[in-house]
Amino acid sequence: MDDSEFHRLKRLPPYVFAEVNAMKARARGAGQDVIDLGMGNPDLPTAPHIVAKLAEAAANPRAHGYSASRGIPGLRKAQAAYYSRRFGVELDPDSEVIVTLGSKEGLANLAQAITSPGDTVLVPNPSYPIHPYGFIIAGGSVRHIPVPGSTSIEEFLPALERAVRHAVPKPLALVLNYPSNPTAQVVDLDFYGAIVDFCKREGIWILSDLAYAEIYFDGVPPPSVLQVPGARDIAIEFTSMSKTYSMAGWRMGFAAGNKTLIQALTRIKSYLDYGAFTPIQVAATAALNGPQDCIAEARNTYKERRDVLIEGLKGAGWDLPAPSASMFAWAPLPKEFAELGSLAFSKLLLTQANVAVSPGIGFGEHGDAHVRIALVENKHRIRQAVRNIRTVMADPGRAIDLYLRGVGDNITPIKARA
C-alpha cells in the first residue's frame, strides 16, 4: 500500500515541483553549483531588533507554555494598527483579526472550516497551489478563472461572470491574490470595488491573499480589498510577515476582515493548534510596532535584483516584463523553447545552466507558457545565472538536443559551458 490509497491524497495531482527539486538535489550531489531561483524563500536576514526581542522573550520561562490559538492580544492590536496606518481601515482586534501560522495555514484551515463536500470555489489560474488545493483537500471543487498574462477588471470581470454562470452548485467563494504569486500581477482599488460589488450581489465570499503588500517597486503601494466600503460584509484577507520582514521560517501571518469568517477560522484552529510560540508573537509585535526601515531596505534590494535580472536576460535575448511588485518575475518561455513547455524548459536550465526556476505548469495549466524566477539570490549570483543562461540562449538547437539526449531516470547534470 502507498499514500494513493487515502481519499484526500487521491484528489491531489503529482507535485510538479518535486521533479525539479529532485534534479536539483542530484545536481548538487554531483558537485554542481546550482543557482536556486526556484523557491520564494527570502535570503535576507530578519532585522536585528526583531531577533533581539525574540531572544529577550524566549529567556522568560513563563513564555514557554501553550500560547493562544487566535494570537496574543498585543499582536492582534499591532496588526489592527498596521491596517489603520497603511490602508486607513479600522479593525476590531478582538473580532476582526486572528493570528495564523503563516498565510498558507490560515487559508487552508479556513477552507476546512467553510467547505462542504462538493462546494465550488473560484480560483484564478495560474495561482499559488494552496489557493485551489486547500479547498480540494477540504472536499470542494475548483472552477478556474484563466489569467495567464496581465489582468484588468475589463478582462477579469467577464471571466468571473462566466465562471459563476456555468458553475454548479453556485460558488461558495472567490480567491484573490494581488500582487500575485506567481504572475506578479497587481490591481488597483477600482478592481477590488467592482469585484466586491459583484460578489455581494451573488452572495460569494472573497478570500484575499495579500502576502506581498509591501514588496512593490513603482511607488504605488498595493491596496487592500478591505479598503472598499462594505467589503468586510463578505471579505477576509490574509497577510504574512514572511516576505515583509524576512521572517519566512518564523511562520507568522494574519487573517483580518469579516467577523463570521474570522470566527469560523478561530473555532477550527482552536481544535488544531495552540498558536505560535509566544516569544515569536512578541517579536512579531515588535516588528509591526517598531521601526520600519527594514521593509524599505528589503524593497530596494529586491528592486535592484529585479533590474539586474531583467536587463541581463534582455541582453541574453530573453525579453521579459519587469514586475512592479512581489519577489518574482513571471517569464514567458523564449520562443525557441516554447514547444518544450515549462517543466522541460526548467529541467533544461537546470542541467545546462545550473539555474533552478519554477515551471509555470506547477501553478496551473494556464501557466505552462511561463516559468517563475524568484529574486532570492544576491546580485552577483543573479549575474552569474544570466551568464549561464546566455550560453543556452546562444545556441537553442544544441541546448534542446543536449537536453533531449540527457532525459531519463538517471539524469547527470551537464556542467554549464564557460
Side-chain angles (χ1 to χ4, degrees):
M1 297 179 66
D2 58 34
D3 62 14
S4 65
E5 296 295 318
F6 301 120
H7 168 69
R8 281 188 170 83
L9 295 185
K10 285 180 181 178
R11 304 194 71 205
L12 299 177
Y15 192 57
V16 171
F17 303 117
E19 293 189 47
V20 178
N21 290 339
M23 289 182 64
K24 183 169 59 180
R26 292 202 297 273
R28 284 177 168 160
Q32 301 293 322
D33 178 23
V34 176
I35 302 172
D36 193 352
L37 306 180
M39 185 177 180
N41 189 11
D43 65 313
L44 302 178
T46 308
H49 72 279
I50 303 174
V51 177
K53 179 57 70 173
L54 171 68
E56 176 189 324
N60 181 357
R62 293 190 300 174
H64 294 182
Y66 291 126
S67 190
S69 178
R70 61 199 295 253
I72 62 175
L75 181 53
R76 286 184 278 113
K77 290 177 181 177
Q79 177 68 354
Y82 163 75
Y83 261 85
S84 177
R85 66 176 180 265
R86 171 69 164 79
F87 302 112
V89 173
E90 301 300 326
L91 296 169
D92 178 357
D94 290 326
S95 63
E96 295 180 307
V97 178
I98 183 174
V99 178
T100 63
L101 306 180
S103 58
K104 183 176 182 178
E105 174 270 324
L107 192 143
N109 276 329
L110 181 61
Q112 294 286 342
I114 69 174
T115 307
S116 298
D119 278 346
T120 300
V121 176
L122 305 168
V123 181
N125 186 326
S127 64
Y128 186 56
I130 196 60
H131 296 158
Y133 292 117
F135 289 94
I136 289 173
I137 292 169
S141 299
V142 171
R143 188 172 185 89
H144 293 285
I145 302 171
V147 285
S150 62
T151 192
S152 67
I153 193 60
E154 290 78 16
E155 296 171 336
F156 191 92
L157 192 55
L160 175 59
E161 291 171 340
R162 285 193 299 273
V164 171
R165 186 165 59 247
H166 297 294
V168 178
K170 182 179 179 180
L172 168 74
L174 166 67
V175 179
L176 298 175
N177 172 214
Y178 300 105
S180 170
N181 176 9
T183 69
Q185 296 165 344
V186 295
V187 297
D188 58 20
L189 203 53
D190 289 340
F191 178 98
Y192 283 135
I195 298 301
V196 168
D197 288 346
F198 175 82
C199 289
K200 272 193 167 186
R201 290 195 306 271
E202 297 292 336
I204 298 172
W205 297 111
I206 295 176
L207 283 54
S208 170
D209 183 348
L210 192 61
Y212 296 90
E214 303 304 332
I215 309 300
Y216 58 90
F217 312 123
D218 58 4
V220 180
S224 160
V225 70
L226 300 183
Q227 290 176 258
V228 177
R232 275 180 285 177
D233 294 341
I234 59 167
I236 189 171
E237 190 158 67
F238 296 90
T239 55
S240 168
M241 304 190 77
S242 296
K243 311 308 189 295
T244 302
Y245 294 96
S246 300
M247 294 169 62
W250 300 51
R251 306 315 303 135
M252 184 55 55
F254 306 90
N258 179 267
K259 293 181 180 181
T260 299
L261 294 178
I262 293 293
Q263 179 57 34
L265 181 55
T266 301
R267 186 174 180 187
I268 200 164
K269 278 177 61 64
S270 70
Y271 284 91
L272 297 174
D273 69 67
Y274 287 105
F277 186 39
T278 297
I280 292 179
Q281 296 194 54
V282 172
T285 304
L288 287 166
N289 291 339
Q292 304 297 298
D293 307 28
C294 56
I295 299 177
E297 291 171 4
R299 190 182 297 136
N300 289 334
T301 296
Y302 287 126
K303 183 179 185 298
E304 290 174 355
R305 293 177 179 182
R306 177 202 69 171
D307 293 345
V308 168
L309 177 74
I310 299 300
E311 293 168 11
L313 290 180
K314 184 177 181 179
W318 188 2
D319 201 1
L320 56 144
S324 61
S326 85
M327 58 190 295
F328 305 110
W330 186 236
L333 302 186
K335 62 180 184 298
E336 299 89 349
F337 300 91
E339 291 187 3
L340 288 176
S342 61
L343 180 57
F345 182 66
S346 297
K347 292 178 178 180
L348 184 151
L349 287 184
L350 181 57
T351 57
Q352 296 186 48
N354 289 341
V355 176
V357 299
S358 293
I361 190 66
F363 303 99
E365 67 270 25
H366 293 286
D368 197 27
H370 293 73
V371 293
R372 191 194 70 177
I373 306 175
L375 306 172
V376 292
E377 292 271 15
N378 62 41
K379 290 186 289 184
H380 170 75
R381 295 282 284 172
I382 290 176
R383 290 190 183 98
Q384 181 62 52
V386 169
R387 287 194 291 269
N388 292 0
I389 291 172
R390 183 179 289 116
T391 66
V392 171
M393 299 292 296
D395 193 347
R398 181 172 185 269
I400 293 172
D401 180 62
L402 286 172
Y403 167 73
L404 293 176
R405 286 194 284 116
V407 168
D409 293 332
N410 299 298
I411 297 173
T412 301
I414 302 168
K415 189 171 183 179
R417 301 182 294 280

